[in-house]
Amino acid sequence: MTTPVCTLASNPTTYPSFSAYVRTRGTVLLRTARSLTANPCDAEDLLQTALTKTYVAWDRIEDHRALDGYVRRTLVNTRTSQWRKRKVDEFSCDEIPETETAPAADPAEAQALRDAMWRAVTRLPDRQRAMVVLRYYEDLSEVQTAELLGVSVGTVKSAVSRALVKLREDPELVPIR
């Protein structure tokens, strides 16, 4: 059974130097513990555990000038151990809970968007329209499109790029916000 740190720190007969250390450095060490945990109560528990471990090892610590480093390392190691040991609760249930899904899109709106897109594509110059149709409607690669139209791959890339700019600027395709 471990004795609470507050009792250890207030009992000067055990290790007066430990009690003095906790009184003088406790606030700073608590700040360190708070930086390791999200919950202030967990930080206090973490510090108490680290100080308990330090108290148990007090006789073995040779250089008491390095106590802050020792306690900080104990805080980090203790927190890491707690994190590794954390229990993930799993509950079995008879039915799978339903996930919230976004409302289904209106098919009429989707069709209206497809129609608007096709009208915008038909307003492109013939060469750009052919390349956009082959690349995105027929799903051909840039190389296949270039071979089919008898142009270079660079020409396909630049023409498709210019066509996409025109489509993005088309007033009929501007998204509603």
Side-chain angles (χ1 to χ4, degrees):
M1 180 174 165
T2 44
T3 309
V5 172
C6 56
T7 307
L8 294 173
S10 63
N11 185 357
T13 59
T14 315
Y15 289 119
S17 56
F18 178 78
S19 300
Y21 174 73
V22 172
R23 273 193 305 277
T24 58
R25 301 299 294 163
T27 305
V28 173
L29 295 171
L30 182 58
R31 243 189 335 256
T32 303
R34 284 189 178 161
S35 70
L36 295 171
T37 63
N39 184 333
C41 295
D42 290 342
E44 290 173 4
D45 291 343
L46 176 62
L47 179 59
Q48 183 166 344
T49 302
L51 287 175
T52 302
K53 291 178 179 181
T54 303
Y55 177 80
V56 170
W58 194 256
D59 287 337
R60 295 186 312 249
I61 300 173
E62 295 176 11
D63 186 7
H64 282 216
R65 292 175 298 183
L67 280 172
D68 279 356
Y70 181 89
V71 175
R72 283 191 179 102
R73 174 50 52 198
T74 305
L75 282 167
V76 170
N77 291 346
T78 302
R79 181 64 184 141
T80 301
S81 294
Q82 290 172 345
W83 176 79
R84 286 180 179 154
K85 291 178 186 175
R86 77 176 190 258
K87 182 180 176 188
V88 178
D89 294 327
E90 293 182 14
F91 302 99
S92 61
C93 56
D94 293 333
E95 296 178 24
I96 298 175
E98 291 183 29
T99 58
E100 290 187 30
T101 57
D106 183 8
E109 288 180 20
Q111 184 61 45
L113 180 60
R114 280 192 293 278
D115 291 343
M117 182 60 148
W118 186 248
R119 283 191 302 274
V121 168
T122 60
R123 285 191 292 272
L124 291 173
D126 292 341
R127 189 171 177 175
Q128 287 180 0
R129 183 174 58 243
M131 291 182 190
V132 167
V133 168
L134 291 173
R135 285 284 291 127
Y136 297 105
Y137 284 87
E138 297 296 324
D139 201 26
L140 296 181
S141 70
E142 291 168 342
V143 173
Q144 292 170 324
T145 303
E147 288 174 1
L148 191 64
L149 295 176
V151 296
S152 71
V153 175
T155 302
V156 172
K157 287 181 180 182
S158 62
V160 169
S161 176
R162 285 191 301 275
L164 292 177
V165 168
K166 288 180 182 178
L167 291 173
R168 285 187 194 105
E169 294 172 350
D170 191 292
E172 207 176 335
L173 297 177
V174 174
I176 299 170
R177 297 191 199 270

